[in-house]
Amino acid sequence: MDFRIMGMDSPLFSTLQHMMDTSEDTDKSYNAPKRTYVRDAKAMAATPADVKEYPNSYLFIIDMPGLKSRDIKMQVEDDNVLTISGERKRDEEKEGAKYVRMERRVGKFMRKFVLPENANTDSISAVCQDGVLTVTV
């Protein structure tokens, strides 16, 4: 028997998202949290991260190829949730050129990390160098 892990790009997940996006009979305020949840889940699954723990700090390392620092948003929510988000956009096609293959990931990305209670959220630092974002808490 062949077992596979269902990813966010699976037909079932796409169908679920399509159903929630096209439901016009339902009140929009009732439907909004569901769409947001699906988008957030996709964005988080598409953003892998490494987390290192040191005696006095945490290091979050996330690949951000092709993004500039201004395209990345970092904030602390609810006093202890570090959120890193942004959007990677597809280059506009130039006249006479067309894509033959499109494999690079585009769209929104996001990761949320629950920080320990004693984390000093006032001294968070971040460096984006060579397409790698490193956040120190």
Side-chain angles (χ1 to χ4, degrees), residues 2-20:
D2 185 23
F3 291 96
R4 296 182 188 191
I5 297 174
M6 184 173 68
M8 293 296 177
D9 57 348
S10 74
L12 178 62
F13 196 82
S14 296
T15 302
L16 177 63
Q17 183 178 9
H18 179 72
M19 285 172 34
M20 285 192 281

Side-chain angles (χ1 to χ4, degrees), residues 44-62:
M44 289 176 70
T47 310
D50 293 340
V51 181
K52 291 182 181 178
E53 181 179 6
Y54 290 95
N56 295 319
S57 64
Y58 286 89
L59 206 63
F60 301 89
I61 305 163
I62 304 171

Side-chain angles (χ1 to χ4, degrees), residues 8-9 42-48 63 65-67 87-90 102-109:
M8 293 296 177
D9 57 348
K42 270 186 108 166
M44 289 176 70
T47 310
D63 290 339
L67 290 176
E87 184 172 5
R88 183 176 292 114
K89 296 180 181 177
R90 173 90 47 213
M102 296 170 64
E103 294 182 351
R104 297 183 318 153
R105 189 178 306 273
V106 294
K108 294 186 180 205
F109 62 87

Side-chain angles (χ1 to χ4, degrees), residues 55-107:
N56 295 319
S57 64
Y58 286 89
L59 206 63
F60 301 89
I61 305 163
I62 304 171
D63 290 339
M64 300 282 174
L67 290 176
K68 298 189 180 350
S69 297
R70 68 176 179 259
D71 298 328
I72 302 167
K73 180 179 175 185
M74 271 189 357
Q75 63 186 31
V76 176
E77 302 171 345
D78 302 325
D79 294 328
N80 73 330
V81 178
L82 173 64
T83 302
I84 301 168
S85 61
E87 184 172 5
R88 183 176 292 114
K89 296 180 181 177
R90 173 90 47 213
D91 294 335
E92 290 186 27
E93 291 187 34
K94 295 191 171 51
E95 195 169 319
K98 64 178 181 178
Y99 280 101
V100 175
R101 181 181 303 240
M102 296 170 64
E103 294 182 351
R104 297 183 318 153
R105 189 178 306 273
V106 294

